[in-house]
Amino acid sequence: MAVEFNHTIVSCTDKEASARFLTEILGLGEPSSYGPFAVVQLANGTTLDFADDHGRPHRQHYAFLVSEDEFDQIHARIVERGLTYWADPFHRHEGQINTNDGGRGLYWDDPDGHNLEIITVPYGGA
């Protein structure tokens, strides 16, 4: 049996707002509901299941592999919203895009401080 990643739970202070924030920025379909979760479906069959936490959620990192066209569209939505973004995960190079591994990448924060990333080439190159 091949092992595949299926889903993970994202702790947040407002599951509906956090799920909607991500779908709007990434250009995904509307979140659905499953039990106590607001579910964001990704193209490869995986989901991010947003759950309200009690207190401030522990900051996590979520990275998304996107096409060059999707990168441009996502970057434009980030800029249109006036969100701060960085070329690096440590938030040292504000307003810049990296060109690591022959692609492009950038980082921004969601409403709960989760460090989100888009890349056009997987780490280590194509």
Side-chain angles (χ1 to χ4, degrees), residues 6 11 14 19 39 52 80 84 93 120 125-126:
N6 181 263
S11 295
D14 182 336
V39 179
D52 292 334
E80 287 169 9
T84 304
H93 302 284
T120 59

Side-chain angles (χ1 to χ4, degrees), residues 13-72:
T13 55
D14 182 336
K15 66 184 178 188
E16 299 299 334
S18 292
R20 189 162 313 283
F21 172 85
L22 186 65
T23 60
E24 289 173 357
I25 293 292
L26 294 182
L28 300 172
E30 290 288 315
S32 61
S33 294
Y34 180 76
F37 306 109
V39 179
V40 173
Q41 181 73 48
L42 302 176
N44 60 347
T46 61
T47 63
L48 296 176
D49 301 349
F50 288 81
D52 292 334
D53 204 344
H54 304 288
R56 188 81 182 143
H58 178 71
R59 181 182 166 135
Q60 298 292 319
H61 173 73
Y62 300 95
F64 305 93
L65 181 62
V66 300
S67 70
E68 288 289 339
D69 287 340
E70 290 167 326
F71 185 96
D72 291 335

Side-chain angles (χ1 to χ4, degrees), residues 69-91:
D69 287 340
E70 290 167 326
F71 185 96
D72 291 335
Q73 294 166 18
I74 295 165
H75 178 246
R77 286 190 284 270
I78 289 169
V79 170
E80 287 169 9
R81 285 180 174 231
L83 300 174
T84 304
Y85 64 92
W86 301 267
D88 64 300
F90 305 106
H91 297 179

Side-chain angles (χ1 to χ4, degrees), residues 7 10 36 55 62 93 109 123:
H7 72 278
V10 180
Y62 300 95
H93 302 284
D109 287 342
Y123 288 145

